[in-house]
Amino acid sequence: MSLSLLGWVLACLTNYLPYWKNLNLDLNEMETWTQGLWQVCVVQEEVGMQCKDFDSFLALPVELRVSRILMFLSHGLGLLGLLVSGSGLDCLRVGERQRKCKKWLLILGGVLFWTAGVGVLVPVSWVAHVTVQEFWDETLPEVVPRWEFGEALFLGWFAGFSLLLGGCLVTWAACCSQAPLAAGRYAAAETQYLRHPLEMKNTRLTV
């Protein structure tokens, strides 16, 4: 659960960070361009960072448009996975006697985490693939600056694999765990509750 939560938070950061691509100008080393899914920024040593949002969604390249949709879908699935799997945790007393229901909630949460991880890895890998193709495009003159990988791509890969691994661990734990869901004082209270009718019955037989 902690690993999945970490991956979901990092995925949200990846979506809004304007560091998916970096562009270093050889003619002006004091100026660096960065690009994300929502805006393009220029970093200058004297002025600092100045960003401008993209004017039109339809004017964006297809990989950026699809990436926006998939990232939002991943955020929704990840949040839903946190809520569903959180409801199936052993530490919650709600539904503690419905062990089978809690098990299926954990399995469903793990599947949602896994799907959210795929939803992050696909756009990040797609943008990285397009960046590599454009970088080695022989039709462009050598003097033309080329975009390179930004820090947000690596953060997105880490977030996606964290969600995948977290989802697999949650599902595996739900399928393989044989421990009772009620623990501690709840388990003791339930045992005492079940033992009380037996003691009353034995007392009546003795009398």
Side-chain angles (χ1 to χ4, degrees), residues 12-179:
C12 294
L13 291 176
T14 302
N15 185 17
Y16 295 104
L17 286 177
Y19 300 110
W20 285 57
K21 295 181 181 181
N22 292 335
L23 181 65
N24 296 321
L25 300 178
D26 295 334
L27 299 179
N28 189 0
E29 297 180 356
M30 300 177 61
E31 183 176 285
T32 303
W33 289 78
T34 62
Q35 179 180 335
L37 296 181
W38 303 94
Q39 57 188 358
V40 58
C41 301
V42 56
V43 182
Q44 298 175 341
E45 293 186 1
E46 298 179 355
V47 182
M49 176 180 288
Q50 294 179 341
C51 299
K52 182 180 183 301
D53 296 336
F54 293 116
D55 296 330
S56 174
F57 174 79
L58 298 178
L60 294 174
V62 61
E63 67 271 11
L64 295 185
R65 283 180 287 168
V66 177
S67 296
R68 284 188 179 185
I69 298 174
L70 290 179
M71 291 298 290
F72 273 121
L73 181 62
S74 174
H75 298 342
L77 292 174
L79 180 59
L80 185 61
L82 290 173
L83 297 176
V84 171
S85 58
S87 301
L89 292 178
D90 298 352
C91 58
L92 294 180
R93 190 177 181 183
V94 178
E96 60 182 0
R97 297 183 182 178
Q98 300 177 356
R99 181 176 179 178
K100 187 175 182 180
C101 180
K102 278 181 168 286
K103 177 180 178 180
W104 282 108
L105 285 176
L106 287 175
I107 294 176
L108 178 59
V111 173
L112 290 173
F113 286 143
W114 192 87
T115 309
V118 174
V120 176
L121 292 176
V122 169
V124 171
S125 302
W126 190 0
V127 173
H129 174 69
V130 174
T131 303
V132 172
Q133 283 188 327
E134 294 176 351
F135 185 86
W136 296 107
D137 189 0
E138 298 180 353
T139 59
L140 296 177
E142 296 183 358
V143 296
V144 176
R146 311 295 176 95
W147 290 100
E148 299 182 6
F149 288 173
E151 295 83 355
L153 292 182
F154 299 99
L155 187 64
W157 278 317
F158 183 79
F161 284 116
S162 297
L163 285 168
L164 283 178
L165 182 58
C168 292
L169 290 176
V170 170
T171 305
W172 174 79
C175 294
C176 300
S177 177
Q178 299 296 332

Side-chain angles (χ1 to χ4, degrees), residues 200-207:
M200 293 293 295
K201 183 177 181 181
N202 293 332
T203 304
R204 291 178 180 177
L205 292 176
T206 304
V207 174

